[in-house]
Amino acid sequence: MIRDQELADLCRTIGRDAGLSVTVGGKRSYIAADANHINIAAMPMTPQGRILAVGLVWHESAHKLYTDFSLGGPGQGLLGSLANIIEDARVDRDFIAQRPGSRYDTELLDDFYAAKGSMTPANEAQALCAFVMGQARAQLTSISSFDADMQKGREMLSAAFGEELVRQAQVICAEFPHLPKARAGTHAAKELARRLHDLFVQAAQKPKPPASPPKDSSHPSPEQPGAQAKPQPKGRPTRNGTPADLSSPEKRKAHLLRQAAETCMGDRAQAILQELDQLAGKQTGTERPFVPELPLIDRAQPFSPVDEALALQATAGLRARLYGLLQAMKNLPVTHGCSGKRLDERRLHRLSLDDPRIFRRRQPRVDVHTAVCLLLDASGSMNRPHRGQSYIELASLCAYALHRALRGLPGVAVWSAEFSKAHSQRFGRDVEVREICGWQEKPSPALFGRRGLSNTPVCSGLWAARAELLARPEPRRIVLLLTDGVPSDTPGAVADTSLRLHKDGIEVAAIGIKEASVQRHWKNHRVIGDPSQLAQAMFHILTTLLTSRRQRAA
């Protein structure tokens, strides 16, 4: 089974490549109105869920890259369904050509919906959709999952309108391989959909062609003497279960045109979203809190830069002390052996005691690299003053100093972010986590100039840190969280989220500024009564984590 963090990282990587933001969380999957953001409902990552989620991100990435949205939507009814089917196949063709690895997931998704019977036709309008779907997928993507549905659609069209309509539809479908690539092909795809739609409407206005004679003429026809005519139904069942009255050409025409207006088939994105919501809804109350989420991460906008002189002074001291501690942990105590190149003269007398271990050995430990996430509480309460500075100014200064100190240590990578809800101009919606300084980014005083905003969404900060850490190659992963208030998350959510991070091998440490709630959620914690003690507390708790983990790893 695919691990959930692999899916989240894969979806995020695919989306980033196409300029598409992807989040995982909540109870509902959706695509934003501007088509720039996808949310996948939180759910256990089953094989079916992986097929649907990855297929959705691939598919919407293809649309974002190769569909011309300035031409408007596909339309309604049969015309919109045909336009969706043709455009979906066209953009999948272009996406697979640029990214061949996506073909595997696209074919899995086609196989899933073919087995589900989502394109199996139940009336004449759906028969045309099934026929076009099979033709488009086979000719443009070389995927034949819908061949059975295409054949059934052909038979239904032939029985309802005759072989002439099937032949004309085949001629139009033969133009699929010549559809232009990239966004220039959207208009051409809509034009082919319009021609197929017009073909159906024109056929609906004509009388039903006579049925072809049976192949076996040995059986008497209803017109022959002695033959008993079988009762014929008046028409196909309608949506309410009663048969449609097709006794006259006018009623048949009205029935077929109603089908064309009401048909909604082939919208792949909406079908996937519904399937994902159904999977998310099957979770039990005990499963849901432990399902990982991937919140939206924005870029923090600087406000006022921190005092660089004070930060550099603190950074130098922090780096020197941390480096000295880590270097002291690197080498094992001196041992002695029976062979070697370094003779310990002080142990020569041991030879008379039948102890041949007179050669000195010192083996270095296997250095375990570490990734650290610094999470800064940017809630409104952090604007409280303290000796001429606010809590957030002191915390930002300490975070900047610690980020610089850790970044200068060999084998240590660091990422800093803040958590609090605020409107994002980039995404056009509220975002609860914002990156302050990335993994490979050089920290600067301007980046760490923060201010207090609104609430305290601790869970969103932890889920964001988890996603960042699990994407890192370092085997040791640490989250250092700084807060001054009670989490605004639902009761028990912080404990459940922290437990999930612990199961993933991520250690969480927290510092509470005049806030004792950190004692309930994390074993590694420290509560300070004076914000001026923050720098010392951060150094102490992080030093304890780094050195203790190295001792246990050895």
Side-chain angles (χ1 to χ4, degrees), residues 141-181:
T141 65
S142 300
I143 298 175
S144 57
S145 303
F146 297 102
D147 281 1
D149 295 323
M150 178 182 66
Q151 183 60 31
K152 183 174 182 180
R154 178 196 293 270
E155 294 171 357
M156 291 178 64
L157 291 173
S158 178
F161 304 107
E163 283 295 329
E164 180 60 21
L165 180 135
V166 176
R167 186 190 67 79
Q168 294 179 20
Q170 185 74 54
V171 170
I172 297 175
C173 292
E175 300 180 29
F176 289 160
H178 306 294
L179 284 169
K181 295 182 179 180

Side-chain angles (χ1 to χ4, degrees), residues 119-339:
M119 289 304 297
T120 302
N123 57 42
E124 287 80 1
Q126 292 183 4
L128 181 59
C129 290
F131 179 76
V132 174
M133 172 69 85
Q135 292 284 336
R137 304 304 291 185
Q139 294 187 46
L140 293 172
T141 65
S142 300
I143 298 175
S144 57
S145 303
F146 297 102
D147 281 1
D149 295 323
M150 178 182 66
Q151 183 60 31
K152 183 174 182 180
R154 178 196 293 270
E155 294 171 357
M156 291 178 64
L157 291 173
S158 178
F161 304 107
E163 283 295 329
E164 180 60 21
L165 180 135
V166 176
R167 186 190 67 79
Q168 294 179 20
Q170 185 74 54
V171 170
I172 297 175
C173 292
E175 300 180 29
F176 289 160
H178 306 294
L179 284 169
K181 295 182 179 180
R183 295 180 179 175
T186 302
H187 176 74
K190 285 190 171 185
E191 181 62 23
L192 290 180
R194 184 192 61 78
R195 290 168 57 187
L196 288 164
H197 174 265
D198 292 347
L199 181 65
F200 181 87
V201 172
Q202 292 170 10
Q205 297 174 356
K206 298 177 182 179
K208 183 176 181 180
S212 57
K215 295 181 180 180
D216 188 358
S217 59
S218 60
H219 298 283
S221 64
E223 291 78 9
Q224 292 175 340
Q228 296 181 356
K230 296 181 180 180
Q232 299 294 326
K234 290 185 177 182
R236 294 184 181 275
T238 58
R239 287 183 302 175
N240 58 13
T242 60
D245 187 0
L246 307 180
S247 57
S248 66
E250 290 76 12
K251 292 181 179 180
R252 177 176 181 270
K253 171 184 173 181
H255 174 67
L256 293 174
L257 293 180
R258 192 181 306 112
Q259 283 185 14
E262 296 176 351
T263 294
C264 182
M265 199 174 189
D267 191 339
R268 174 158 295 197
Q270 289 302 318
I272 297 175
L273 291 175
Q274 293 175 6
E275 293 283 350
L276 290 172
D277 287 348
Q278 290 176 8
L279 289 176
K282 293 179 180 179
Q283 299 176 80
T284 64
T286 57
E287 291 176 342
R288 190 178 298 277
F290 300 99
V291 176
E293 299 186 10
L294 176 62
L296 193 61
I297 303 175
D298 196 9
R299 180 67 181 181
Q301 299 300 319
F303 296 105
S304 59
V306 298
D307 190 330
E308 187 170 11
L310 288 176
L312 290 177
Q313 197 174 32
T315 298
L318 282 173
R319 183 182 300 173
R321 295 168 67 185
L322 282 171
Y323 186 77
L325 283 170
L326 294 180
Q327 284 297 111
M329 298 296 299
K330 264 189 148 180
N331 293 319
L332 289 167
V334 175
T335 59
H336 294 82
C338 300
S339 61

Side-chain angles (χ1 to χ4, degrees), residues 348-544:
L348 290 176
H349 67 280
R350 292 275 184 175
L351 292 174
S352 61
L353 301 175
D354 290 335
D355 187 356
R357 295 175 297 175
I358 58 174
F359 294 94
R360 187 171 56 187
R361 293 177 178 176
R362 172 172 285 180
Q363 297 177 346
R365 293 178 188 263
V366 177
D367 194 21
V368 181
H369 291 190
T370 306
V372 180
C373 280
L374 301 180
L375 292 180
L376 181 63
D377 180 3
S379 60
S381 60
M382 290 288 284
N383 288 324
R384 288 180 290 179
H386 174 76
R387 298 179 185 176
Q389 285 184 305
S390 64
Y391 285 15
I392 192 69
E393 289 174 337
L394 288 169
S396 300
L397 178 65
C398 294
Y400 173 61
L402 188 59
H403 190 113
R404 281 182 60 95
L406 291 173
R407 187 174 182 270
L409 295 177
V412 178
V414 60
W415 180 80
S416 294
E418 66 176 13
F419 56 94
S420 188
K421 182 185 291 187
H423 184 75
S424 169
Q425 295 182 353
R426 175 186 174 191
F427 297 111
R429 60 182 60 86
D430 288 341
V431 175
E432 294 185 329
V433 183
R434 286 163 296 280
E435 180 185 73
I436 298 175
C437 191
W439 293 104
Q440 306 299 329
E441 190 174 2
K442 183 178 179 180
S444 68
L447 293 175
F448 283 81
R450 314 309 316 142
R451 70 176 180 182
L453 298 172
S454 56
N455 61 343
T456 312
V458 173
C459 288
S460 294
L462 292 175
W463 287 128
R466 174 185 181 274
E468 291 290 334
L469 289 171
L470 291 178
R472 295 293 303 176
E474 290 82 5
R476 288 195 302 163
R477 304 176 176 103
I478 296 174
V479 176
L480 178 58
L481 185 144
L482 190 152
T483 182
D484 77 327
V486 178
S488 56
D489 305 276
T490 57
V494 176
D496 293 336
T497 304
S498 301
L499 180 58
R500 179 58 200 238
L501 265 67
H502 178 72
K503 290 181 177 180
D504 291 327
I506 300 173
E507 280 202 68
V508 181
I511 298 175
I513 305 176
K514 296 184 178 180
E515 177 54 53
S517 63
V518 296
Q519 299 175 352
R520 300 196 305 268
H521 302 304
W522 301 287
K523 179 180 179 181
N524 296 319
H525 68 271
R526 188 160 183 179
V527 179
I528 57 175
D530 189 339
S532 60
Q533 303 171 354
L534 182 58
Q536 181 182 359
M538 293 174 71
F539 170 78
H540 177 270
I541 199 166
L542 192 59
T543 301
T544 302

Side-chain angles (χ1 to χ4, degrees), residues 62 66 89-103 106 140-141 181:
Y66 305 119
R90 188 190 68 83
V91 298
D92 283 346
R93 174 200 66 182
D94 294 351
F95 199 74
I96 291 172
Q98 293 295 324
R99 299 161 180 80
S102 65
R103 190 186 192 285
T106 302
L140 293 172
T141 65
K181 295 182 179 180

